[in-house]
Amino acid sequence: HGQVIRQHVNARFRWKMNHGTKINLFLQFRFRSLHCLSWPTFQIVWISVQCVYLKKKFNSMLLEDKIVVITGASRGIGKSIAKTCVEHGAVVAFTYLSSEEKVRALESELTANGGVAVGFRSDASDFQQAQELIDQVVEKFGTVDVLVNNAGITRDTLMMRMTEEQWDEVINTNLKSAFNLTKVVIEPMLKARSGSIINMSSVVGVKGNAELY
């Protein structure tokens, strides 16, 4: 434990990420006048340096090269999710029903710093359109790694005033859309033996607005 640590300590650290890419990190330490540094102390220092380096190196790219599909991402929460995914290295495919002009502007915003994001005009509440969306994404990018069921609307009003049409709009967009996309995305995820599905919900899904009763 009291042995002198050599002046030059070369260490190689191999880390295998989830997507299979092997990353070799080569770090060189130069210790001068550390004649009393024990081996256990060196190990602690070495592990600490590795943790700091890896956190700095990879923390901002948690979704690197992952294909992420986000429904209803042209504005609001969905737009913020898309931005965050792109910042973390994901390839984002998002759906919209708004104007083409706004979507092209959003694509430019998301890809300004070298990210990849493509908008697909698709109604998540329509099963056929959901199927076509996933087919297009798989054809373009090869697979789907993450699905975010974010599409949602509100038609809050008193029950006595709510129409059947309003009820159907909410159920189709907020509930049926999640079924549609989840059902059609299962096949490519099973083929890849990997995948994540995230279902977004409103707090009103847990506790209704008081004015509805």
Side-chain angles (χ1 to χ4, degrees):
H1 296 293
Q3 64 180 343
V4 177
I5 302 299
R6 292 181 302 174
Q7 183 176 0
H8 299 282
V9 178
N10 295 329
R12 291 182 181 274
F13 180 74
R14 175 164 290 183
W15 187 46
K16 186 175 182 180
M17 297 181 68
N18 290 334
H19 56 71
T21 302
K22 292 182 178 179
I23 301 174
N24 292 306
L25 305 178
F26 176 81
L27 302 176
Q28 183 181 66
F29 290 89
R30 296 174 182 272
F31 291 98
R32 296 187 177 89
S33 303
L34 296 179
H35 302 289
C36 297
L37 185 64
S38 66
W39 179 244
T41 303
F42 165 72
Q43 288 180 311
I44 294 174
V45 173
W46 168 233
I47 292 173
S48 298
V49 171
Q50 288 183 101
C51 291
V52 172
Y53 183 83
L54 290 174
K55 182 177 181 181
K56 181 178 179 181
K57 181 73 175 179
F58 302 109
N59 191 47
S60 61
M61 302 297 281
L62 298 176
L63 296 171
E64 186 173 14
D65 298 330
K66 298 296 183 181
I67 312 302
V68 181
V69 175
I70 309 170
T71 61
S74 62
R75 58 189 177 87
I77 295 175
K79 181 178 178 181
S80 296
I81 294 172
K83 285 184 177 180
T84 301
C85 288
V86 169
E87 289 172 358
H88 283 269
V91 174
V92 172
F94 65 92
T95 69
Y96 69 94
L97 289 175
S98 57
S99 68
E100 291 286 339
E101 183 179 352
K102 290 182 179 180
V103 171
R104 298 291 86 83
L106 177 56
E107 286 181 339
S108 299
E109 181 181 349
L110 294 174
T111 59
N113 295 319
V116 179
V118 180
F120 293 84
R121 188 174 186 83
S122 178
D123 183 356
S125 66
D126 185 294
F127 184 82
Q128 185 60 38
Q129 291 190 41
Q131 181 69 69
E132 293 172 355
L133 166 68
I134 298 303
D135 289 344
Q136 291 173 2
V137 173
V138 171
E139 181 180 0
K140 188 175 182 65
F141 299 114
T143 188
V144 176
D145 296 299
V146 182
L147 167 65
V148 182
N149 285 314
N150 170 76
I153 61 173
T154 59
R155 296 290 185 266
D156 292 350
T157 185
L158 292 173
M159 178 60 75
M160 65 179 64
R161 295 178 180 173
M162 178 174 283
T163 65
E164 183 181 4
E165 182 181 12
Q166 290 175 320
W167 173 267
D168 289 340
E169 286 178 354
V170 172
I171 294 300
N172 288 338
T173 302
N174 297 12
L175 183 60
K176 186 183 177 184
S177 65
F179 165 82
N180 291 343
L181 269 298
T182 299
K183 182 174 175 61
V184 298
V185 84
I186 286 176
E187 183 177 349
M189 286 186 174
L190 286 176
K191 287 182 178 179
R193 296 190 176 184
S194 176
S196 299
I197 299 175
I198 302 171
N199 294 317
M200 304 291 291
S201 180
S202 168
V203 292
V204 181
V206 178
K207 183 178 181 180
N209 288 331
E211 62 267 22
L212 297 183
Y213 300 98

